[in-house]
């Protein structure tokens, strides 16, 4: 009766302890906390029985009382561990929702350490119980064997008792293993279900983090991965929008100019790029003309595309105001320096204006490679040079403008960015300006669009069919014969 009374008292205290101690802890700490509470209650019940026997019946504390404590502790260990695992399962099911803990645990307790510690304690407890049973049976056997009618009957009694004790312990161990397997299966299913949804493109679910072992860390880092995928998808959507906007900024078809055929094309190494290609009407000192702009922002990608769009806006806004081409670039440069301050970015640009009446052309070269004029009749190449700084570096720089006569029939004007001649082949060699010049001269009899397309085809073949490492822009203007 005293044993039942002690257990009843422990059970009565259990509800209060669960509510006030276990459920007040964090999700990750509840399982371990429940184990401690349950085991302490069983141990306290054993100690209460031990002390009661000591003071009421005078049973020796070590010889008798500690056996009771060991028995209660053994049953309490298995029961506490099973209830702690049940708490872990319950938490894993309840936490599988929007409010679940999804961050990796701060501390890591590997499953191997957990299994090793539990196995060691189980072996020690089972060994202790068996030793006590055997020791008690041997003492009893030595007392009654002289009175027994048959030693065989005594051995059978001892054997049955040992089998019963071992069977009870075996059932407890099997139940413990089964409880562990249920938890592992639940944690594994939680993980795989979320990963299956991620594989299908559903990123709205997370794995609840309810343990501090490998499953908890895998779940936490899986959730981190899902958040990263969400960020990448948001970034990808933003890049798609930026790509669409930039594509709308690029001229969809070349303009028309009396006596000239024009072809232009930009190839970007990323979804967005920093090469600038533009055509628009320009009024310079009372004369109208066609502005042809080719530029190259340092780097490529979204940052370069934003800077390119800024220059485009500055240039088109300034082009409607009076002034020379050089003063136009002075104003654009001052605006750009404010935007590129401390960023380390700048932009090279070649701005060419072809007179509408065909009397000549004016240009400014802002740190850009010179445009080229090919004369198929003479087999000669002329460079439209300039010696000014790139845009976005020095606020007070004054640019210079240059002028020459018009293109003669059959002559070809080419503007390009360094992504054309600096494109590298599989062996590391660059395409080079000489290869570009030979391609244009070789196709000089064709239309402007044919010259441009043949050059890009040769460039892609030279690259071995691979994508470009840098943005490449090309403008071909051919005077009609």
């Amino acid at each position: 009766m005293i044993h039942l009374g002690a257990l009843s008292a422990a059970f009565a205290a259990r509800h209060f302890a669960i509510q006030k101690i276990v459920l007040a802890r964090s999700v990750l700490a509840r399982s371990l906390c429940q184990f401690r509470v349950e085991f302490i209650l069983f141990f306290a019940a054993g100690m209460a029985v031990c002390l009661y026997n000591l003071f009421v019946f005078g049973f020796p504390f070590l010889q008798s009382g500690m056996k009771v404590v060991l028995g209660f502790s053994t049953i309490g260990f298995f029961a506490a561990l099973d209830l702690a695992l049940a708490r872990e399962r319950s938490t894993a099911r309840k936490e599988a929702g929007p409010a679940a803990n999804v961050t990796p645990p701060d501390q890591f307790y590997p499953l191997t350490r957990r299994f090793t510690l539990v196995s060691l304690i189980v072996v020690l407890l089972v060994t202790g119980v068996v030793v006590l049973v055997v020791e008690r049976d041997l003492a009893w056997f030595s007392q009654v064997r002289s009175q027994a009618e048959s030693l065989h009957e005594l051995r059978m009694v001892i054997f049955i008792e040992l089998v019963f004790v071992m069977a009870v312990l075996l059932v407890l161990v099997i139940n413990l293993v089964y409880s562990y397997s249920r938890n592992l299966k639940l944690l594994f299913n939680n993980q795989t279900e979320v990963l299956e949804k991620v594989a299908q493109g559903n990123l709205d679910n997370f794995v609840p983090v309810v343990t501090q072992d490998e499953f908890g860390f895998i779940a936490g880092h899986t959730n981190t991965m899902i958040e990263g995928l969400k960020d990448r998808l948001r970034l990808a959507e933003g890049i798609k929008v930026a790509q669409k906007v930039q594509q709308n900024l690029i001229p969809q078809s070349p303009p028309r100019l009396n006596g000239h055929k024009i072809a232009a094309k930009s190839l970007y190494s990323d979804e967005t790029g920093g090469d600038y290609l533009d055509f628009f009407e320009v009024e310079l000192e009372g004369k109208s003309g066609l502005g042809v702009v080719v530029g190259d922002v340092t780097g490529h990608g979204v940052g370069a595309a934003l800077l390119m769009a800024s220059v485009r806006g500055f240039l088109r806004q300034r082009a409607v105001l009076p002034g020379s081409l050089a003063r136009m670039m002075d104003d654009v440069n001052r605006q750009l320096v404010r935007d590129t301050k401390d960023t380390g970015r700048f932009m090279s640009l070649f701005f060419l204006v072809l007179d509408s009446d065909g009397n000549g052309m004016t240009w400014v070269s802002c740190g850009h490679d010179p445009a080229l004029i090919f004369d198929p009749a003479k087999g000669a190449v002329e460079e439209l040079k300039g010696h000014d700084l790139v845009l976005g570096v020095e606020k007070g720089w004054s640019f210079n403008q240059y002028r020459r006569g018009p293109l003669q029939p059959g002559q070809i004007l080419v503007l390009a960015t360094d992504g054309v001649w600096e494109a590298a082949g599989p062996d590391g060699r660059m395409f080079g300006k000489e290869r570009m010049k030979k391609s244009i001269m070789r196709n000089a009899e064709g239309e402007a669009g044919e010259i441009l397309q043949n050059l890009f085809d040769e460039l892609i073949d030279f690259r071995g069919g691979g994508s470009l490492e840098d943005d490449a822009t090309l403008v071909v203007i051919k005077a009609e014969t």
Side-chain angles (χ1 to χ4, degrees):
M1 292 297 294
I2 183 59
H3 295 75
L4 183 59
L7 290 174
S8 299
F11 184 78
R14 178 178 181 274
H15 178 74
F16 175 82
I18 295 298
Q19 295 295 324
K20 299 298 183 180
I21 301 176
V22 176
L23 297 181
R25 296 296 184 92
S26 65
V27 170
L28 296 179
R30 287 177 189 172
S31 179
L32 179 59
C33 184
Q34 173 129 12
F35 170 79
R36 290 172 176 170
V37 167
E38 303 284 3
F39 182 76
I40 289 172
L41 289 174
F42 271 94
F43 181 81
M47 286 298 298
V49 173
C50 173
L51 295 175
Y52 181 85
N53 290 336
L54 174 63
F55 293 112
V56 175
F57 300 107
F59 290 170
F61 181 77
L62 293 178
Q63 289 84 352
S64 176
M66 292 311 297
K67 295 178 182 180
V68 174
V69 174
L70 179 61
F72 271 83
S73 298
T74 302
I75 300 298
F77 175 80
F78 284 102
L81 195 52
D82 185 54
L83 291 170
L85 292 171
R87 173 65 62 185
E88 189 176 275
R89 288 194 299 274
S90 174
T91 303
R93 294 190 184 100
K94 290 179 180 179
E95 290 295 314
N101 175 43
V102 297
T103 57
D106 296 329
Q107 294 179 308
F108 175 53
Y109 299 104
L111 283 171
T112 52
R113 184 192 303 173
R114 188 176 178 183
F115 288 145
T116 301
L117 182 61
V118 170
S119 300
L120 179 61
I121 294 175
V122 167
V123 169
L124 291 176
L125 290 175
V126 170
T127 302
V129 170
V130 172
V131 168
L132 288 177
V133 170
V134 171
E135 186 268 337
R136 186 184 67 82
D137 286 343
L138 289 176
W140 174 75
F141 179 76
S142 64
Q143 294 175 3
V144 302
R145 65 178 178 177
S146 60
Q147 305 170 2
E149 297 179 356
S150 172
L151 292 177
H152 176 72
E153 293 179 359
L154 295 176
R155 293 192 186 98
M156 285 301 299
V157 171
I158 295 174
F159 175 76
I160 292 172
E161 185 178 26
L162 285 174
V163 169
F164 175 76
V165 171
M166 294 301 295
V168 171
L169 293 174
L170 182 61
V171 169
L172 293 175
V173 171
I174 292 175
N175 178 69
L176 190 59
V177 172
Y178 176 68
S179 189
Y180 260 122
S181 65
R182 290 179 63 189
N183 284 38
L184 295 178
K185 181 180 179 181
L186 178 60
L187 295 173
F188 180 78
N189 287 341
N190 286 345
Q191 181 77 30
T192 54
E193 286 174 5
V194 172
L195 289 177
E196 286 174 358
K197 291 178 181 178
V198 170
Q200 296 168 1
N202 184 350
L203 302 180
D204 296 328
N205 296 276
F206 295 94
V207 186
V209 179
V210 296
T211 64
Q212 294 178 291
D213 53 23
E214 287 84 349
F215 280 99
F217 268 77
I218 292 173
H221 289 296
T222 298
N223 298 330
T224 303
M225 177 196 70
I226 293 173
E227 287 290 355
L229 289 174
K230 283 186 173 183
D231 290 339
R232 290 184 66 86
L233 285 177
R234 285 191 289 266
L235 180 61
E237 289 298 323
I239 290 176
K240 284 183 180 179
V241 174
Q243 182 183 22
K244 189 173 293 185
V245 170
Q246 188 174 39
Q247 287 174 348
N248 291 333
L249 297 180
I250 300 173
Q252 302 302 308
S253 59
R256 294 182 179 182
L257 183 66
N258 290 336
H260 299 79
K261 293 292 184 181
I262 303 175
K265 186 175 184 179
S266 284
L267 292 179
Y268 290 151
S269 57
D270 286 338
E271 289 84 355
T272 56
D275 273 10
Y276 175 31
L277 170 64
D278 206 358
F279 302 98
F280 52 88
E281 294 294 327
V282 180
E283 190 78 22
L284 291 178
E285 299 173 348
K287 289 185 177 181
S288 63
L290 174 66
V292 182
V293 185
V294 171
D296 185 6
V297 179
T298 52
H300 42 82
V302 176
L306 289 173
L307 188 57
M308 182 276 281
S310 296
V311 173
R312 181 183 184 275
F314 294 153
L315 198 57
R316 281 178 167 256
Q317 184 182 40
R318 179 59 182 83
V320 300
L321 302 176
S324 66
L325 190 60
R327 300 293 73 79
M328 185 186 302
M329 298 314 303
D330 291 346
D331 295 339
V332 171
N333 180 61
R334 278 193 294 271
Q335 292 290 336
L336 188 62
V337 168
R338 296 191 185 101
D339 288 353
T340 58
K341 184 179 180 181
D342 299 327
T343 66
R345 287 188 178 271
F346 54 86
M347 182 180 190
S348 68
L349 183 139
F350 196 98
F351 191 176
L352 173 73
V353 178
L354 298 170
D355 295 347
S356 297
D357 57 13
N359 287 332
M361 61 185 74
T362 306
W363 72 91
V364 173
S365 178
C366 307
H368 201 82
D369 285 81
L372 304 175
I373 297 179
F374 294 86
D375 189 343
K378 299 179 180 179
V381 178
E382 178 187 351
E383 293 186 345
L384 303 184
K385 296 182 178 180
H387 305 285
D388 287 305
L389 282 179
V390 293
L391 298 173
V393 173
E394 187 173 331
K395 183 177 180 180
W397 186 266
S398 294
F399 290 88
N400 299 288
Q401 67 182 46
Y402 305 88
R403 185 168 176 83
R404 77 177 298 278
L407 292 178
Q408 298 303 310
Q411 287 186 336
I412 302 167
L413 174 63
V414 177
L415 294 83
T417 58
D418 57 11
V420 176
W421 54 81
E422 290 184 358
D427 58 359
R429 293 184 300 112
M430 290 193 298
F431 188 74
K433 286 189 176 182
E434 288 302 318
R435 200 184 304 271
M436 183 184 76
K437 293 177 182 178
K438 290 178 181 178
S439 173
I440 295 172
M441 294 297 290
R442 188 166 50 250
N443 298 284
E445 296 299 322
E447 296 290 336
E450 295 174 353
I451 296 171
L452 181 143
Q453 190 59 50
N454 287 332
L455 178 55
F456 269 115
D457 289 343
E458 291 183 28
L459 178 62
I460 297 301
D461 290 341
F462 179 80
R463 285 277 301 158
S467 60
L468 297 175
E469 295 177 348
D470 193 10
D471 307 327
T473 297
L474 186 66
V475 178
V476 177
I477 303 173
K478 184 176 182 180
E480 295 179 325
T481 55

